[in-house]
Amino acid sequence: NVVDIARDFSTMGCFQSSLTKRSIGGLLTGNGENMEDESVASVSDVVALEGSNVQSGVAISSPVPVSPIHDEAEDTPGDPSEKPVTDEKLEHEQLNEPGDPTTIEKSLSNQNMTEKADLFQIKRRSSAQSASSPERRESKSPMNTEAIKVDREKDFSTPSKSKRVRRRIDGSPILPDCNMPRKTVYLFRHGYSQGQAAQKNGLDRKTDPSLRDCALTERGIEEARAIPKQFLDDERDSIEVVFSSPLTRALHTSILGFPNKNIICHFDLGEIGTKAPENIPRKMAAVLQDLREDIEKRDSSLTTDTTTFQPSDWPRDTAPGVIKKEKVKKFFQWLYKERQEKVIAVVCHHNVIKTVVINGEKLRPKNAELISCSLNSNGELFLVNGLETNDDLPVAALDFGASTS
């Protein structure tokens, strides 16, 4: 009968969440038309009907009493003295109820499946509520993101880029000797090039073969010729040698910007990290032929050396960016240890400058613009723009690579 069905559902722990009063009315009378309240019904509602006559006149009785279960969804509060039946108690009663062991096992299996389904629905509702809650939205706000960023920056266990110390293979730090004199290096990025103007000219900078080792534009030529004006007279006269990248735009900038200085082409100063056509080198004979007119205007006593440091397989240049970065760093170590000059100009490229200037995180090299640096005994370059002399560099910055700002 219906009470037996209700008891089976209650022992399975799903009667409370599965049936509504309309469905119960349908079970009892054959229809649910007179049941307008669709709130969730509890087992106690069915028990309350036990032994009474419903609309169809059918009497319901049960030889076994059913324990009432308090339903929080009920509009009318239940008896406070009645304690809710827990899942553990239901399971205990079900295990101790006499009957067919196979039936009991099936009931347990059904109960576990129902509990898992209910738990899944609860998790889904909880996730939806947490995603739309103000607390959740607040955690994704920009202010909290900034707070998290600040907290991470306060974690000094991982040093920032400006505080990292270069180390040898054995792990010992490569630090400058503060008792050693420092050299002055004037860095220049080349003048405005055809590669930079590619988009304006309707060319694809990444693929157009006509841009291979491209030349300066008219604007770039004017920028290069204006380089001497950026120095004081004594600064310009103090420059002892100029080192240049072998790429056409850099070498041409060196020739125009330093008409009274010896120029040495060093092949480790080429651009880093991109395979654009403008960074693919050509044979030096072709480069010198293109620049012949400006080279011949220089004093005959001056040299433009493109052979001393030229690799035997040039212009083959297949080294990855990581190797090129190491070569650039070694070049400045060599510049300090092996060269006798104290004041040196270097004409190279954007990524080269960003690689070698230790405290230049915010540095944005512009075309043919002077960048004054101090070269220390370990080969590291420190930006000194804005400082009156190299002696104004803080010792802490020299030892640990900290920013001088």
Side-chain angles (χ1 to χ4, degrees):
N1 57 28
V2 175
V3 174
D4 291 335
I5 294 173
R7 182 185 298 110
D8 291 340
F9 271 89
S10 65
T11 56
M12 291 166 59
C14 66
F15 186 86
Q16 214 169 343
S17 61
S18 302
L19 295 179
T20 64
K21 286 185 177 180
R22 180 178 292 277
S23 62
I24 294 172
L27 287 172
L28 296 178
T29 65
N31 62 66
E33 296 176 356
N34 297 326
M35 304 291 288
E36 295 180 356
D37 185 4
E38 293 188 20
S39 60
V40 179
S42 64
V43 178
S44 59
D45 294 326
V46 179
V47 176
L49 296 175
E50 182 179 356
S52 63
N53 292 331
V54 295
Q55 293 178 5
S56 62
V58 179
I60 303 175
S61 61
S62 173
V64 181
V66 180
S67 300
I69 300 177
H70 175 65
D71 190 354
E72 294 180 356
E74 277 292 342
D75 296 333
T76 304
D79 185 359
S81 63
E82 295 180 354
K83 297 182 179 179
V85 179
T86 62
D87 293 340
E88 293 181 359
K89 185 175 181 181
L90 287 174
E91 185 177 350
H92 177 73
E93 291 177 353
Q94 188 178 28
L95 289 176
N96 290 302
E97 182 179 358
D100 185 7
T102 305
T103 303
I104 295 175
E105 183 178 353
K106 289 181 179 180
S107 298
L108 285 174
S109 176
N110 292 335
Q111 179 182 357
N112 292 335
M113 292 176 64
T114 304
E115 289 176 351
K116 290 180 179 179
D118 291 342
L119 181 60
F120 176 73
Q121 293 295 336
I122 291 172
K123 287 183 176 179
R124 289 187 62 183
R125 288 195 296 270
S126 176
S127 299
Q129 291 174 0
S130 62
S132 60
S133 64
E135 293 81 1
R136 184 77 172 181
R137 291 194 296 270
E138 183 180 355
S139 66
K140 293 183 178 181
S141 65
M143 293 182 64
N144 281 352
T145 303
E146 290 296 328
I148 293 172
K149 183 177 179 181
V150 170
D151 290 340
R152 289 178 178 174
E153 289 178 353
K154 289 181 180 179
D155 181 10
F156 297 106
S157 59
T158 303
S160 63
K161 179 181 178 181
S162 62
K163 293 184 179 180
R164 289 176 184 166
V165 178
R166 295 176 61 196
R167 297 183 179 274
R168 301 181 180 88
I169 297 177
D170 60 1
S172 59
I174 304 175
L175 298 175
D177 186 348
C178 295
N179 296 321
M180 296 289 290
R182 294 188 288 271
K183 295 185 178 183
T184 298
V185 174
Y186 297 122
L187 291 177
F188 284 90
R189 183 188 180 189
H190 57 80
Y192 194 72
S193 69
Q194 295 287 351
Q196 291 175 276
Q199 187 174 1
K200 291 182 179 180
N201 297 329
L203 302 176
D204 187 346
R205 187 176 183 181
K206 295 181 178 180
T207 60
D208 197 308
S210 66
L211 295 175
R212 177 177 177 178
D213 189 21
C214 59
L216 296 176
T217 61
E218 290 299 323
R219 168 185 161 182
I221 291 174
E222 294 302 320
E223 290 173 341
R225 287 175 175 164
I227 285 178
K229 298 177 182 179
Q230 300 183 49
F231 294 100
L232 299 175
D233 291 340
D234 57 343
E235 290 177 336
R236 183 173 58 253
D237 295 339
S238 67
I239 298 174
E240 301 171 73
V241 67
V242 177
F243 281 92
S244 174
S245 160
L247 296 178
T248 301
R249 58 190 185 275
L251 185 55
H252 198 185
T253 301
S254 301
I255 293 170
L256 296 176
F258 299 95
N260 301 317
K261 305 293 179 182
N262 290 321
I263 298 173
I264 301 175
C265 192
H266 201 288
F267 293 77
D268 288 340
L269 292 174
E271 182 59 302
I272 298 172
T274 173
K275 296 296 183 182
E278 63 195 270
N279 298 323
I280 299 176
R282 298 181 295 158
K283 292 182 178 181
M284 291 310 301
V287 174
L288 294 175
Q289 181 63 34
D290 291 344
L291 303 180
R292 180 179 177 180
E293 182 178 349
D294 288 316
I295 292 174
E296 290 179 348
K297 292 179 181 179
R298 288 161 54 85
D299 191 288
S300 59
S301 63
L302 299 174
T303 60
T304 304
D305 184 359
T306 61
T307 58
T308 301
F309 298 102
Q310 182 175 339
S312 58
D313 58 349
W314 190 262
R316 186 173 181 270
D317 183 24
T318 58
V322 175
I323 301 300
K324 288 184 178 181
K325 286 183 178 182
E326 288 304 314
K327 286 183 176 181
V328 168
K329 293 175 181 178
K330 289 181 179 179
F331 164 79
F332 284 97
Q333 293 175 9
W334 169 84
L335 196 62
Y336 185 92
K337 295 178 179 179
E338 304 297 332
R339 299 294 300 192
Q340 301 300 318
E341 297 88 356
K342 304 299 181 185
V343 182
I344 306 159
V346 177
V347 181
C348 51
H349 306 271
H350 178 279
N351 292 341
V352 174
I353 296 172
K354 292 287 291 181
T355 297
V356 298
V357 178
I358 298 300
N359 59 334
E361 291 85 0
K362 297 182 180 180
L363 179 63
R364 296 292 181 269
K366 297 180 180 180
N367 295 110
E369 183 176 89
L370 171 63
I371 302 173
S372 298
C373 295
S374 174
L375 179 61
N376 298 292
S377 60
N378 63 345
E380 290 181 342
L381 281 171
F382 287 90
L383 187 67
V384 296
N385 282 8
L387 300 179
E388 294 183 1
T389 65
N390 288 352
D391 295 331
D392 292 334
L393 278 173
V395 176
L398 296 178
D399 286 341
F400 303 107
S403 175
T404 59
S405 58

